[in-house]
Amino acid sequence: MTRVLYIEDEPSLGKIVSETLQQQGFEVLHIADGARVLPVLNGFLPDICVVDIMLPNVDGYTLCAQIKGRYPSLPVIFLTAKTETADLVKGFEAGGTDYIRKPFSMEELIVRINNQLKIRVNGQKDNEAVSVRSIGQYKFFPMRYELETPTTTIKLSQREQEVLALLTNNMNQPVERKHILLSIWGDDSYFNSRNLDVYIRKLRGYFAQDSQVELVTLKGKGYVFLEK
Amino acid sequence: MTRVLYIEDEPSLGKIVSETLQQQGFEVLHIADGARVLPVLNGFLPDICVVDIMLPNVDGYTLCAQIKGRYPSLPVIFLTAKTETADLVKGFEAGGTDYIRKPFSMEELIVRINNQLKIRVNGQKDNEAVSVRSIGQYKFFPMRYELETPTTTIKLSQREQEVLALLTNNMNQPVERKHILLSIWGDDSYFNSRNLDVYIRKLRGYFAQDSQVELVTLKGKGYVFLEK
DNA sequence: ACCAATTAAGGTTAATTAAGGTTAATGCTT
DNA sequence: AAGCATTAACCTTAATTAACCTTAATTGGT
């Protein structure tokens, strides 16, 4: 059964959409509060997300970037009253894969959901943050906040784990700096940008011994975590 | 170089859209007659198609289905004055991967084109950016940002890698200066043009040892990367 | 048609700016 | 007080801008 994570704070619309999707055979988890999404993702891995932009606590763009940070190939459809092109651009920049303006027809939403699912039929699902990852000679246990080297085990802090998880979710492909900042810190201010530098350096320190692996800077763009 | 096949019978719109896309660094083939599309596909394999629905001879739905019959994973975006949900549903049924209603902003079209391309890149692993390329005696690893010579390995910067990738994607065939500027810098201002000179020089420096290869200037036109 | 003179296109090298890197100090939280 | 996250100050380097040079394409007079 296809699982839809639906984030919408307006109760009446939320109810109608949820029920209609359920009638179409989707399993729907409806959340009204942006801040509750990430915790929920630990227990419910959806096939697709449908998110509103104007939400309490955390806005939809940030939410999308956070979700994509964990699950880069999970489709995210924006469903929003914001009709301007600038908002649509922000949505796609945050990693969204489709954008529907309100008012919309349920039929269109359903067709677009199915389209997103179809496009990805071949691409396998992301391994969730729960599984072990091999990185060069090391092993990374995201849920344990641990990095196991041949000789020792390093305990990772919250931020270290978040940055490493995001980068290893996108092994061998460039991740934009802006995207990292948005999905971990929620904004790309100057200070957070310096802050990210600090964590990049820490991670580089951990991986200094492992010659199979390199965290490369793409100046003006972002980073790639390369495995040779 | 991203190739767009654009099918639109209305001349003035067709011209504006084609030109704007070209300014963004896309290679655009614009066709006005639905019946001419399939023959053209034999000689021009695009990365994405943008199709109108109301066309002479063959309608857009049929065309889309034909294109998807040959190239199932080629993205097809409908760009149409038909605003009804029923038409959108027909579009997706025909195998379309996105649907934009007229009137639309060029910015939205560009963002949605890039989105479709990105979805594909994430899904399929071995796109050309990932593979190794032999250039004379050297090897170029685009995804590692490295150029391997018989004696050493050169680390390429972001810009160096972009320019070299673009040129080697078109080995032995001319690449227009303007096209390089548009697709890497996004505009062909005077300063970026001087900037490109700087990177051409850097690349020439790297390849100075390799007599099998030459980066030739075509004054007034662009460059060819020749392999002898 | 031929060959200066002119000019536009690109080349070279250096200076500047902006993006990140490094390390240390400060501030929160528990 | 300990441990992490953030802020800060200063350093390094890629990318851009700038100034000046060279060469290929035009142009225009003969």
Side-chain angles (χ1 to χ4, degrees):
Chain A
M1 193 192 282
T2 302
R3 293 145 72 103
V4 179
L5 180 60
Y6 174 43
I7 303 145
E8 166 68 70
D9 63 323
E10 213 241 292
S12 60
L13 178 65
K15 199 178 168 208
I16 292 173
V17 171
S18 298
E19 282 172 4
T20 314
L21 289 178
Q22 277 157 5
Q23 279 163 27
Q24 290 291 317
F26 293 103
E27 182 182 341
V28 180
L29 179 57
H30 173 203
I31 300 182
D33 179 356
R36 281 197 48 234
V37 172
L38 284 192
V40 163
L41 269 180
N42 293 324
F44 178 92
L45 182 61
D47 300 291
I48 190 165
C49 299
V50 176
V51 318
D52 190 10
I53 291 179
M54 284 173 295
L55 291 165
N57 301 320
V58 186
D59 72 278
Y61 303 124
T62 306
L63 209 49
C64 175
Q66 290 173 339
I67 293 168
K68 295 295 272 190
R70 291 208 193 177
Y71 308 104
S73 76
L74 184 62
V76 175
I77 302 181
F78 283 103
L79 187 62
T80 171
K82 288 184 167 287
T83 57
E84 284 169 35
T85 302
D87 296 311
L88 174 136
V89 171
K90 277 175 80 177
F92 281 106
E93 272 176 1
T97 54
D98 203 351
Y99 190 99
I100 305 175
R101 293 174 175 89
K102 295 177 187 172
F104 63 98
S105 73
M106 273 309 298
E107 216 180 344
E108 172 159 356
L109 175 59
I110 290 161
V111 166
R112 286 192 181 267
I113 286 174
N114 284 324
N115 178 51
Q116 288 295 321
L117 295 169
K118 193 176 76 185
I119 288 177
R120 257 161 259 265
V121 158
N122 300 329
Q124 30 17 350
K125 268 191 198 175
D126 296 308
N127 282 331
E128 50 216 273
V130 178
S131 62
V132 189
R133 249 165 271 184
S134 280
I135 309 169
Q137 317 162 13
Y138 297 4
K139 279 184 182 170
F140 171 37
F141 300 85
M143 77 299 190
R144 283 205 246 143
Y145 292 72
E146 280 179 3
L147 188 62
E148 200 178 282
T149 81
T151 52
T152 60
T153 297
I154 300 162
K155 279 229 144 272
L156 299 175
S157 75
Q158 175 66 15
R159 288 298 194 219
E160 290 170 345
Q161 187 268 4
E162 287 176 295
V163 176
L164 184 56
L166 206 160
L167 290 168
T168 57
N169 278 342
N170 296 281
M171 213 62 200
N172 295 313
Q173 57 196 84
V175 185
E176 284 191 22
R177 221 185 143 77
K178 196 172 170 179
H179 184 255
I180 302 175
L181 287 166
L182 265 182
S183 81
I184 294 181
W185 280 273
D187 74 284
D188 61 342
S189 69
Y190 172 81
F191 286 124
N192 287 334
S193 192
R194 301 299 95 245
N195 205 180
L196 171 57
D197 295 341
V198 172
Y199 285 97
I200 290 290
R201 179 174 155 70
K202 287 185 182 175
L203 292 180
R204 283 188 171 142
Y206 296 152
F207 285 95
Q209 313 308 324
D210 191 338
S211 60
Q212 292 178 20
V213 123
E214 195 183 356
L215 213 175
V216 179
T217 303
L218 309 176
K219 198 157 180 169
K221 199 155 202 226
Y223 297 94
V224 221
F225 207 151
L226 287 181
E227 195 162 21
K228 294 173 186 172
Chain B
M1 186 189 301
T2 303
R3 294 144 71 102
V4 178
L5 180 59
Y6 174 44
I7 302 144
E8 166 68 69
D9 64 321
E10 212 242 293
S12 60
L13 178 66
K15 199 179 167 210
I16 291 172
V17 171
S18 298
E19 282 172 5
T20 313
L21 289 178
Q22 277 158 6
Q23 276 167 26
Q24 290 292 316
F26 294 103
E27 183 182 342
V28 180
L29 180 56
H30 174 204
I31 300 181
D33 179 354
R36 283 194 47 233
V37 172
L38 284 191
V40 163
L41 269 181
N42 293 323
F44 179 92
L45 181 60
D47 300 290
I48 190 163
C49 299
V50 176
V51 316
D52 190 12
I53 290 178
M54 286 173 294
L55 292 165
N57 301 319
V58 185
D59 72 279
Y61 303 125
T62 309
L63 208 48
C64 175
Q66 289 172 339
I67 293 169
K68 295 296 270 192
R70 290 209 195 175
Y71 306 104
S73 73
L74 185 61
V76 175
I77 301 181
F78 284 104
L79 188 61
T80 174
K82 288 182 167 288
T83 58
E84 282 168 36
T85 301
D87 297 311
L88 174 137
V89 172
K90 277 174 81 176
F92 280 106
E93 276 172 357
T97 54
D98 204 350
Y99 190 99
I100 306 175
R101 293 173 175 91
K102 295 179 190 173
F104 63 98
S105 73
M106 273 308 298
E107 215 181 345
E108 172 159 358
L109 175 59
I110 289 161
V111 166
R112 286 191 182 269
I113 286 175
N114 284 325
N115 178 52
Q116 289 293 321
L117 295 169
K118 193 176 78 185
I119 290 175
R120 281 298 174 313
V121 169
N122 290 341
Q124 318 169 353
K125 281 183 185 173
D126 274 316
N127 53 340
E128 59 180 351
V130 170
S131 60
V132 189
R133 255 166 264 183
S134 280
I135 309 169
Q137 317 162 12
Y138 296 4
K139 279 185 181 170
F140 172 37
F141 300 84
M143 82 297 192
R144 285 206 235 150
Y145 293 74
E146 281 179 359
L147 188 63
E148 202 177 280
T149 81
T151 51
T152 61
T153 296
I154 300 163
K155 290 215 146 284
L156 299 176
S157 77
Q158 171 69 10
R159 286 297 192 225
E160 291 169 345
Q161 187 266 8
E162 286 177 293
V163 176
L164 184 56
L166 208 162
L167 290 169
T168 58
N169 276 342
N170 297 281
M171 213 62 200
N172 296 312
Q173 58 196 79
V175 185
E176 284 189 25
R177 216 186 146 77
K178 194 172 173 181
H179 181 259
I180 302 175
L181 287 165
L182 290 176
S183 74
I184 294 181
W185 280 273
D187 74 284
D188 62 341
S189 69
Y190 171 81
F191 287 125
N192 288 334
S193 191
R194 301 299 96 243
N195 206 180
L196 171 57
D197 295 341
V198 172
Y199 284 98
I200 290 290
R201 179 175 154 70
K202 287 186 182 173
L203 292 180
R204 283 187 171 142
Y206 296 152
F207 285 95
Q209 313 308 323
D210 191 339
S211 60
Q212 294 177 18
V213 122
E214 197 182 354
L215 212 175
V216 180
T217 304
L218 308 174
K219 197 155 180 170
K221 213 164 190 198
Y223 297 94
V224 219
F225 208 151
L226 285 182
E227 198 162 20
K228 296 167 189 171

